[in-house]
Structure formats: structure tokens, C-alpha cells
């Protein structure tokens, strides 16, 4: 490994460790009830594409903790985190589509995101959400959602090693 590659790897590891530390700082602020501080810390990381911080920021926006409640912005941040594979964000995004919180109600997308969340290890709430959405879908809409789930996993599957 040449020096440039080693330095780049070290910078990525340091950035990941710094992001984890900053996220924990936001979590400490949240646990102390200092939502404005948690919001500030998580927003910086969320804008740098940290999925856990995106999900945490979305939660604060949805609940109106440390900021004015904004379901549309919450859905936006849940969507960014969900697309990166953050299971709780996938669940909350599915619920947003099921209930029409900050987004147009869409049972196909509710089913998709709740199914992905369930497959990613989210709680039984994901199964309930998925099944609630499925009850409202026609057979063709259900097939469409299942195709979207398959396509999502195909895009997010790690590449095979030779």
C-alpha cells in the first residue's frame, strides 16, 4: 500500500470515528433534554450523509424537539437515511407513507419501506406496517411493491468477490 492510499484510509477511519463521537455527543445532549444541541450536532453530520444522524434529525423534526415540528422535512431526512440502509429510518418512512405524514399517502411505498425495514431487522412494527399497507393494495400494486423491494436490495447488495 503506498503512502497516499494509507493516508486516505487513515483519514476515512478517523472521519468515521469522529462522526461516531459526534453522534454520541448528540445522543448525550438528547438524553439530557438539550434537543437544540442534539439537533445542531446531528444536522452537521446528516448533511455529510451520516445515516444515523439523518434518522435522528428526522425524529427531532417529526416530534418538534428543539425545532418547529416539520413532517415534510422529517420525511426527507428519513428518506435519505432509509436509502442508505438505516432500518429505523426505513420503518419511519414506511409509516409516513402509510399515514401521509409529510408525504402523500402511498400504500405501495409504505409496503416497500416497511418490508425493507422488516428484512433489515427492524421491530415487529415493520411487519404490522407492511401488512397494513398490503391490505390496501390490489394484487398488481402488491407485485409492483415487491419488485421495488427486490430492486432496492439488488442495488444495495455488496458486490460479489471473485
Amino acid at each position: 500500500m503506498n503512502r497516499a492510499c494509507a493516508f486516505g484510509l487513515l483519514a476515512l477511519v478517523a472521519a468515521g470515528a469522529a462522526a461516531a463521537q459526534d453522534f454520541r455527543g448528540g445522543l448525550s445532549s438528547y438524553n439530557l433534554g438539550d434537543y437544540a444541541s442534539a439537533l445542531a450536532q446531528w444536522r452537521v453530520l446528516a448533511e455529510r450523509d451520516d445515516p444515523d444522524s439523518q434518522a435522528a434529525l428526522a425524529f427531532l423534526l417529526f416530534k418538534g424537539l428543539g425545532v418547529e415540528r416539520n413532517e415534510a422535512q422529517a420525511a426527507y431526512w428519513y428518506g435519505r437515511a432509509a436509502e442508505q440502509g438505516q432500518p429505523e429510518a426505513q420503518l419511519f418512512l414506511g409509516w409516513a407513507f402509510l399515514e401521509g405524514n409529510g408525504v402523500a399517502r402511498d400504500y405501495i411505498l409504505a409496503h416497500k419501506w416497511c418490508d425493507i425495514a422488516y428484512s433489515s431487522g427492524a421491530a415487529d412494527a415493520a411487519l404490522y406496517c407492511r401488512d397494513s399497507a398490503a391490505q390496501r393494495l390490489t394484487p398488481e400494486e402488491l407485485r409492483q411493491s415487491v419488485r421495488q423491494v427486490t430492486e432496492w436490495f439488488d442495488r444495495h447488495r455488496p458486490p460479489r468477490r471473485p
Side-chain angles (χ1 to χ4, degrees):
M1 180 182 305
N2 67 33
R3 280 188 161 167
C5 287
F7 180 74
L9 182 59
L10 181 60
L12 284 174
V13 169
Q21 183 65 28
D22 290 344
F23 180 83
R24 285 193 298 271
L27 189 57
S28 293
S29 296
Y30 175 86
N31 288 333
L32 292 171
D34 185 359
Y35 305 125
S37 179
L39 179 86
Q41 293 175 65
W42 286 335
R43 185 179 299 276
V44 170
L45 294 172
E47 290 170 352
R48 293 181 188 157
D49 277 337
D50 178 67
D52 292 329
S53 298
Q54 290 169 338
L57 174 61
F59 181 78
L60 293 177
L61 287 161
F62 183 78
K63 292 291 191 176
L65 300 172
V67 67
E68 186 175 328
R69 182 178 164 103
N70 188 326
E71 291 180 354
Q73 277 295 299
Y76 167 79
W77 287 108
Y78 279 138
R80 286 190 54 182
E83 191 58 44
Q84 292 187 71
Q86 213 285 345
E88 291 80 12
Q90 294 165 341
L91 172 60
F92 282 110
L93 184 61
W95 275 107
F97 281 114
L98 184 67
E99 299 293 330
N101 294 329
V103 293
R105 183 172 279 156
D106 186 323
Y107 297 124
I108 294 171
L109 290 175
H111 183 273
K112 169 192 171 179
W113 284 112
C114 290
D115 193 28
I116 291 169
Y118 184 71
S119 296
S120 298
D124 288 339
L127 186 60
Y128 178 81
C129 173
R130 183 196 70 185
D131 292 349
S132 294
Q135 292 174 0
R136 295 168 172 91
L137 297 175
T138 66
E140 177 51 37
E141 290 170 330
L142 184 58
R143 283 189 290 278
Q144 182 181 349
S145 178
V146 169
R147 275 193 306 273
Q148 290 178 13
V149 169
T150 301
E151 290 167 1
W152 189 90
F153 278 109
D154 286 347
R155 283 193 318 273
H156 293 84
R157 182 174 295 131
R160 291 183 184 178
R161 294 184 181 196

